[in-house]
mmCIF file of all heavy atoms in Angstrom:
data_model
loop_
_atom_site.group_PDB
_atom_site.id
_atom_site.type_symbol
_atom_site.label_atom_id
_atom_site.label_comp_id
_atom_site.label_asym_id
_atom_site.label_seq_id
_atom_site.Cartn_x
_atom_site.Cartn_y
_atom_site.Cartn_z
ATOM 1 N N ILE A 1 165.437 33.427 -21.423
ATOM 2 C CA ILE A 1 165.924 34.704 -20.930
ATOM 3 C C ILE A 1 167.267 34.653 -20.319
ATOM 4 O O ILE A 1 167.761 35.569 -19.713
ATOM 5 C CB ILE A 1 164.935 35.312 -19.923
ATOM 6 C CG1 ILE A 1 164.888 34.429 -18.644
ATOM 7 C CG2 ILE A 1 163.555 35.575 -20.524
ATOM 8 C CD1 ILE A 1 164.125 35.118 -17.513
ATOM 9 N N PHE A 2 167.995 33.477 -20.462
ATOM 10 C CA PHE A 2 169.264 33.271 -19.925
ATOM 11 C C PHE A 2 170.130 32.530 -20.839
ATOM 12 O O PHE A 2 169.799 31.594 -21.490
ATOM 13 C CB PHE A 2 169.130 32.554 -18.573
ATOM 14 C CG PHE A 2 170.335 32.536 -17.698
ATOM 15 C CD1 PHE A 2 170.517 33.571 -16.756
ATOM 16 C CD2 PHE A 2 171.363 31.531 -17.752
ATOM 17 C CE1 PHE A 2 171.623 33.622 -15.962
ATOM 18 C CE2 PHE A 2 172.454 31.612 -17.016
ATOM 19 C CZ PHE A 2 172.597 32.689 -16.044
ATOM 20 N N ARG A 3 171.387 33.027 -20.904
ATOM 21 C CA ARG A 3 172.427 32.326 -21.731
ATOM 22 C C ARG A 3 173.487 31.693 -20.814
ATOM 23 O O ARG A 3 174.155 32.414 -19.990
ATOM 24 C CB ARG A 3 173.143 33.399 -22.589
ATOM 25 C CG ARG A 3 174.262 32.832 -23.505
ATOM 26 C CD ARG A 3 174.715 33.820 -24.456
ATOM 27 N NE ARG A 3 175.795 33.328 -25.415
ATOM 28 C CZ ARG A 3 176.280 33.951 -26.410
ATOM 29 N NH1 ARG A 3 175.825 35.137 -26.723
ATOM 30 N NH2 ARG A 3 177.262 33.392 -27.116
ATOM 31 N N PHE A 4 173.579 30.378 -20.952
ATOM 32 C CA PHE A 4 174.556 29.623 -20.141
ATOM 33 C C PHE A 4 175.901 29.539 -20.864
ATOM 34 O O PHE A 4 176.042 28.894 -21.832
ATOM 35 C CB PHE A 4 174.072 28.154 -19.883
ATOM 36 C CG PHE A 4 172.828 28.078 -19.019
ATOM 37 C CD1 PHE A 4 171.526 28.089 -19.547
ATOM 38 C CD2 PHE A 4 172.943 28.087 -17.675
ATOM 39 C CE1 PHE A 4 170.444 27.994 -18.744
ATOM 40 C CE2 PHE A 4 171.883 27.976 -16.785
ATOM 41 C CZ PHE A 4 170.639 27.967 -17.389
ATOM 42 N N ASN A 5 176.938 30.288 -20.256
ATOM 43 C CA ASN A 5 178.216 30.306 -20.780
ATOM 44 C C ASN A 5 178.989 28.944 -20.502
ATOM 45 O O ASN A 5 179.717 28.454 -21.377
ATOM 46 C CB ASN A 5 178.963 31.446 -20.374
ATOM 47 C CG ASN A 5 178.473 32.846 -20.718
ATOM 48 O OD1 ASN A 5 178.348 33.720 -19.811
ATOM 49 N ND2 ASN A 5 178.213 33.001 -22.005
ATOM 50 N N THR A 6 178.736 28.487 -19.352
ATOM 51 C CA THR A 6 179.328 27.264 -18.954
ATOM 52 C C THR A 6 178.361 26.378 -18.202
ATOM 53 O O THR A 6 177.428 26.903 -17.532
ATOM 54 C CB THR A 6 180.534 27.354 -18.007
ATOM 55 O OG1 THR A 6 180.146 28.086 -16.862
ATOM 56 C CG2 THR A 6 181.663 28.343 -18.653
ATOM 57 N N MET A 7 178.413 25.136 -18.450
ATOM 58 C CA MET A 7 177.573 24.147 -17.844
ATOM 59 C C MET A 7 178.332 22.956 -17.353
ATOM 60 O O MET A 7 179.465 22.693 -17.897
ATOM 61 C CB MET A 7 176.457 23.644 -18.667
ATOM 62 C CG MET A 7 175.523 24.781 -19.252
ATOM 63 S SD MET A 7 174.070 24.182 -20.161
ATOM 64 C CE MET A 7 173.081 23.593 -18.830
ATOM 65 N N GLY A 8 177.847 22.186 -16.309
ATOM 66 C CA GLY A 8 178.667 21.136 -15.836
ATOM 67 C C GLY A 8 177.851 20.182 -15.017
ATOM 68 O O GLY A 8 176.584 20.392 -14.655
ATOM 69 N N TRP A 9 178.413 18.997 -14.630
ATOM 70 C CA TRP A 9 177.776 18.023 -13.826
ATOM 71 C C TRP A 9 178.622 17.827 -12.571
ATOM 72 O O TRP A 9 179.893 17.781 -12.630
ATOM 73 C CB TRP A 9 177.659 16.706 -14.552
ATOM 74 C CG TRP A 9 176.738 16.724 -15.732
ATOM 75 C CD1 TRP A 9 176.992 16.985 -16.988
ATOM 76 C CD2 TRP A 9 175.315 16.295 -15.651
ATOM 77 N NE1 TRP A 9 175.804 16.823 -17.804
ATOM 78 C CE2 TRP A 9 174.869 16.533 -16.982
ATOM 79 C CE3 TRP A 9 174.420 15.991 -14.595
ATOM 80 C CZ2 TRP A 9 173.493 16.250 -17.230
ATOM 81 C CZ3 TRP A 9 173.159 15.809 -14.966
ATOM 82 C CH2 TRP A 9 172.650 15.907 -16.254
ATOM 83 N N TYR A 10 177.977 17.715 -11.477
ATOM 84 C CA TYR A 10 178.586 17.510 -10.161
ATOM 85 C C TYR A 10 177.956 16.324 -9.466
ATOM 86 O O TYR A 10 176.739 16.077 -9.716
ATOM 87 C CB TYR A 10 178.477 18.767 -9.249
ATOM 88 C CG TYR A 10 179.278 19.906 -9.780
ATOM 89 C CD1 TYR A 10 178.727 20.682 -10.840
ATOM 90 C CD2 TYR A 10 180.440 20.317 -9.239
ATOM 91 C CE1 TYR A 10 179.436 21.793 -11.279
ATOM 92 C CE2 TYR A 10 181.183 21.405 -9.722
ATOM 93 C CZ TYR A 10 180.586 22.118 -10.774
ATOM 94 O OH TYR A 10 181.294 23.253 -11.199
ATOM 95 N N ARG A 11 178.711 15.653 -8.676
ATOM 96 C CA ARG A 11 178.065 14.443 -7.958
ATOM 97 C C ARG A 11 178.249 14.715 -6.441
ATOM 98 O O ARG A 11 179.267 15.263 -5.961
ATOM 99 C CB ARG A 11 178.699 13.171 -8.349
ATOM 100 C CG ARG A 11 180.228 12.927 -7.940
ATOM 101 C CD ARG A 11 180.685 11.580 -8.355
ATOM 102 N NE ARG A 11 181.946 11.321 -7.750
ATOM 103 C CZ ARG A 11 182.717 10.221 -7.956
ATOM 104 N NH1 ARG A 11 182.113 9.255 -8.716
ATOM 105 N NH2 ARG A 11 183.885 10.063 -7.434
ATOM 106 N N ARG A 12 177.297 14.193 -5.717
ATOM 107 C CA ARG A 12 177.393 14.283 -4.276
ATOM 108 C C ARG A 12 176.939 12.951 -3.639
ATOM 109 O O ARG A 12 175.958 12.396 -3.895
ATOM 110 C CB ARG A 12 176.369 15.344 -3.797
ATOM 111 C CG ARG A 12 176.440 15.568 -2.296
ATOM 112 C CD ARG A 12 175.492 16.697 -1.826
ATOM 113 N NE ARG A 12 175.656 16.943 -0.428
ATOM 114 C CZ ARG A 12 174.963 16.268 0.541
ATOM 115 N NH1 ARG A 12 174.154 15.266 0.166
ATOM 116 N NH2 ARG A 12 175.207 16.513 1.840
ATOM 117 N N ILE A 13 177.916 12.514 -2.775
ATOM 118 C CA ILE A 13 177.636 11.268 -2.053
ATOM 119 C C ILE A 13 177.390 11.703 -0.590
ATOM 120 O O ILE A 13 178.064 12.598 -0.060
ATOM 121 C CB ILE A 13 178.912 10.328 -2.110
ATOM 122 C CG1 ILE A 13 179.255 9.958 -3.491
ATOM 123 C CG2 ILE A 13 178.689 9.085 -1.177
ATOM 124 C CD1 ILE A 13 180.586 9.226 -3.617
ATOM 125 N N PRO A 14 176.363 11.225 0.028
ATOM 126 C CA PRO A 14 176.005 11.544 1.416
ATOM 127 C C PRO A 14 177.131 11.538 2.317
ATOM 128 O O PRO A 14 177.897 10.512 2.375
ATOM 129 C CB PRO A 14 174.900 10.565 1.782
ATOM 130 C CG PRO A 14 174.257 10.171 0.499
ATOM 131 C CD PRO A 14 175.374 10.150 -0.504
ATOM 132 N N GLY A 15 177.318 12.700 3.014
ATOM 133 C CA GLY A 15 178.515 12.754 3.982
ATOM 134 C C GLY A 15 179.841 13.136 3.436
ATOM 135 O O GLY A 15 180.750 13.275 4.096
ATOM 136 N N GLU A 16 179.820 13.384 2.081
ATOM 137 C CA GLU A 16 181.064 13.742 1.441
ATOM 138 C C GLU A 16 180.812 15.100 0.591
ATOM 139 O O GLU A 16 179.650 15.426 0.292
ATOM 140 C CB GLU A 16 181.524 12.709 0.536
ATOM 141 C CG GLU A 16 181.858 11.419 1.123
ATOM 142 C CD GLU A 16 182.440 10.345 0.274
ATOM 143 O OE1 GLU A 16 182.800 10.699 -0.855
ATOM 144 O OE2 GLU A 16 182.427 9.134 0.603
ATOM 145 N N ALA A 17 181.880 15.769 0.359
ATOM 146 C CA ALA A 17 181.802 17.008 -0.454
ATOM 147 C C ALA A 17 181.458 16.695 -1.901
ATOM 148 O O ALA A 17 181.847 15.558 -2.424
ATOM 149 C CB ALA A 17 183.065 17.789 -0.291
ATOM 150 N N GLY A 18 180.868 17.564 -2.559
ATOM 151 C CA GLY A 18 180.577 17.401 -3.952
ATOM 152 C C GLY A 18 181.844 17.517 -4.816
ATOM 153 O O GLY A 18 182.771 18.232 -4.502
ATOM 154 N N ASP A 19 181.762 16.752 -5.912
ATOM 155 C CA ASP A 19 182.901 16.774 -6.853
ATOM 156 C C ASP A 19 182.489 17.082 -8.260
ATOM 157 O O ASP A 19 181.359 16.800 -8.705
ATOM 158 C CB ASP A 19 183.523 15.301 -6.937
ATOM 159 C CG ASP A 19 184.188 14.904 -5.645
ATOM 160 O OD1 ASP A 19 184.795 15.738 -5.029
ATOM 161 O OD2 ASP A 19 184.078 13.699 -5.353
ATOM 162 N N LEU A 20 183.366 17.751 -9.025
ATOM 163 C CA LEU A 20 183.072 18.017 -10.414
ATOM 164 C C LEU A 20 183.257 16.753 -11.174
ATOM 165 O O LEU A 20 184.232 16.044 -11.034
ATOM 166 C CB LEU A 20 184.153 19.035 -10.973
ATOM 167 C CG LEU A 20 184.076 19.300 -12.424
ATOM 168 C CD1 LEU A 20 182.897 19.980 -12.863
ATOM 169 C CD2 LEU A 20 185.328 20.071 -12.948
ATOM 170 N N VAL A 21 182.228 16.502 -11.983
ATOM 171 C CA VAL A 21 182.243 15.361 -12.876
ATOM 172 C C VAL A 21 182.771 15.798 -14.222
ATOM 173 O O VAL A 21 183.705 15.224 -14.828
ATOM 174 C CB VAL A 21 180.815 14.752 -13.100
ATOM 175 C CG1 VAL A 21 180.872 13.493 -14.040
ATOM 176 C CG2 VAL A 21 180.282 14.367 -11.754
ATOM 177 N N ALA A 22 182.129 16.857 -14.828
ATOM 178 C CA ALA A 22 182.578 17.363 -16.107
ATOM 179 C C ALA A 22 181.938 18.668 -16.367
ATOM 180 O O ALA A 22 180.828 19.029 -15.714
ATOM 181 C CB ALA A 22 182.175 16.422 -17.147
ATOM 182 N N ALA A 23 182.629 19.568 -17.127
ATOM 183 C CA ALA A 23 182.084 20.904 -17.392
ATOM 184 C C ALA A 23 182.468 21.174 -18.887
ATOM 185 O O ALA A 23 183.249 20.649 -19.445
ATOM 186 C CB ALA A 23 182.722 22.003 -16.530
ATOM 187 N N ILE A 24 181.566 22.041 -19.482
ATOM 188 C CA ILE A 24 181.722 22.431 -20.904
ATOM 189 C C ILE A 24 181.300 23.800 -21.129
ATOM 190 O O ILE A 24 180.385 24.347 -20.508
ATOM 191 C CB ILE A 24 180.899 21.421 -21.788
ATOM 192 C CG1 ILE A 24 181.220 21.703 -23.233
ATOM 193 C CG2 ILE A 24 179.363 21.562 -21.482
ATOM 194 C CD1 ILE A 24 180.591 20.562 -24.133
ATOM 195 N N SER A 25 182.130 24.463 -21.940
ATOM 196 C CA SER A 25 181.779 25.878 -22.268
ATOM 197 C C SER A 25 180.972 25.936 -23.604
ATOM 198 O O SER A 25 180.734 24.936 -24.199
ATOM 199 C CB SER A 25 183.118 26.683 -22.465
ATOM 200 O OG SER A 25 183.688 26.246 -23.701
ATOM 201 N N GLU A 26 180.465 27.175 -23.923
ATOM 202 C CA GLU A 26 179.774 27.312 -25.196
ATOM 203 C C GLU A 26 180.626 26.900 -26.366
ATOM 204 O O GLU A 26 180.073 26.455 -27.361
ATOM 205 C CB GLU A 26 179.216 28.656 -25.362
ATOM 206 C CG GLU A 26 178.055 29.102 -24.513
ATOM 207 C CD GLU A 26 177.520 30.438 -24.844
ATOM 208 O OE1 GLU A 26 178.143 31.402 -24.593
ATOM 209 O OE2 GLU A 26 176.394 30.491 -25.243
ATOM 210 N N GLY A 27 181.961 27.141 -26.256
ATOM 211 C CA GLY A 27 182.833 26.887 -27.362
ATOM 212 C C GLY A 27 183.329 25.338 -27.437
ATOM 213 O O GLY A 27 183.992 24.970 -28.301
ATOM 214 N N GLY A 28 182.730 24.548 -26.475
ATOM 215 C CA GLY A 28 183.057 23.096 -26.600
ATOM 216 C C GLY A 28 184.206 22.762 -25.766
ATOM 217 O O GLY A 28 184.591 21.535 -25.801
ATOM 218 N N VAL A 29 184.808 23.640 -25.025
ATOM 219 C CA VAL A 29 186.017 23.282 -24.154
ATOM 220 C C VAL A 29 185.534 22.507 -22.970
ATOM 221 O O VAL A 29 184.576 22.957 -22.313
ATOM 222 C CB VAL A 29 186.803 24.545 -23.747
ATOM 223 C CG1 VAL A 29 187.927 24.149 -22.878
ATOM 224 C CG2 VAL A 29 187.314 25.290 -24.959
ATOM 225 N N THR A 30 186.112 21.389 -22.717
ATOM 226 C CA THR A 30 185.633 20.441 -21.747
ATOM 227 C C THR A 30 186.656 20.318 -20.599
ATOM 228 O O THR A 30 187.831 20.493 -20.817
ATOM 229 C CB THR A 30 185.270 19.097 -22.244
ATOM 230 O OG1 THR A 30 186.389 18.506 -22.860
ATOM 231 C CG2 THR A 30 184.160 19.229 -23.187
ATOM 232 N N GLN A 31 186.098 19.863 -19.422
ATOM 233 C CA GLN A 31 187.065 19.628 -18.235
ATOM 234 C C GLN A 31 186.341 18.455 -17.507
ATOM 235 O O GLN A 31 185.231 18.392 -17.304
ATOM 236 C CB GLN A 31 187.152 20.809 -17.316
ATOM 237 C CG GLN A 31 188.040 20.511 -16.015
ATOM 238 C CD GLN A 31 188.102 21.767 -15.166
ATOM 239 O OE1 GLN A 31 187.672 22.812 -15.547
ATOM 240 N NE2 GLN A 31 188.685 21.591 -13.990
ATOM 241 N N TYR A 32 187.207 17.444 -17.079
ATOM 242 C CA TYR A 32 186.641 16.298 -16.416
ATOM 243 C C TYR A 32 187.418 16.044 -15.065
ATOM 244 O O TYR A 32 188.558 16.330 -14.967
ATOM 245 C CB TYR A 32 186.900 15.069 -17.305
ATOM 246 C CG TYR A 32 186.102 14.973 -18.565
ATOM 247 C CD1 TYR A 32 186.608 15.510 -19.763
ATOM 248 C CD2 TYR A 32 184.833 14.497 -18.551
ATOM 249 C CE1 TYR A 32 185.877 15.523 -20.925
ATOM 250 C CE2 TYR A 32 184.052 14.358 -19.722
ATOM 251 C CZ TYR A 32 184.496 14.951 -20.854
ATOM 252 O OH TYR A 32 183.812 14.911 -22.050
ATOM 253 N N GLY A 33 186.593 15.522 -14.154
ATOM 254 C CA GLY A 33 187.116 15.018 -12.944
ATOM 255 C C GLY A 33 187.899 13.742 -13.285
ATOM 256 O O GLY A 33 187.698 13.131 -14.185
ATOM 257 N N GLY A 34 188.960 13.540 -12.473
ATOM 258 C CA GLY A 34 189.874 12.440 -12.673
ATOM 259 C C GLY A 34 189.104 11.088 -12.751
ATOM 260 O O GLY A 34 189.500 10.291 -13.672
#
């Protein structure tokens, strides 16, 4: 019942803010953390 336009992975280290690992759109456009 849901369509995911964008999906991604995030990482969290205890005591630190979460960081983007990678993201991807339905069209295959990707973005990566450094």
Side-chain angles (χ1 to χ4, degrees):
I1 64 171
F2 196 87
R3 179 172 179 173
F4 291 94
N5 297 131
T6 61
M7 300 187 74
W9 293 91
Y10 294 78
R11 70 177 186 180
R12 183 178 183 276
I13 301 173
E16 300 182 13
D19 294 323
L20 170 70
V21 179
I24 186 169
S25 71
E26 284 188 294
V29 179
T30 59
Q31 179 180 350
Y32 292 92

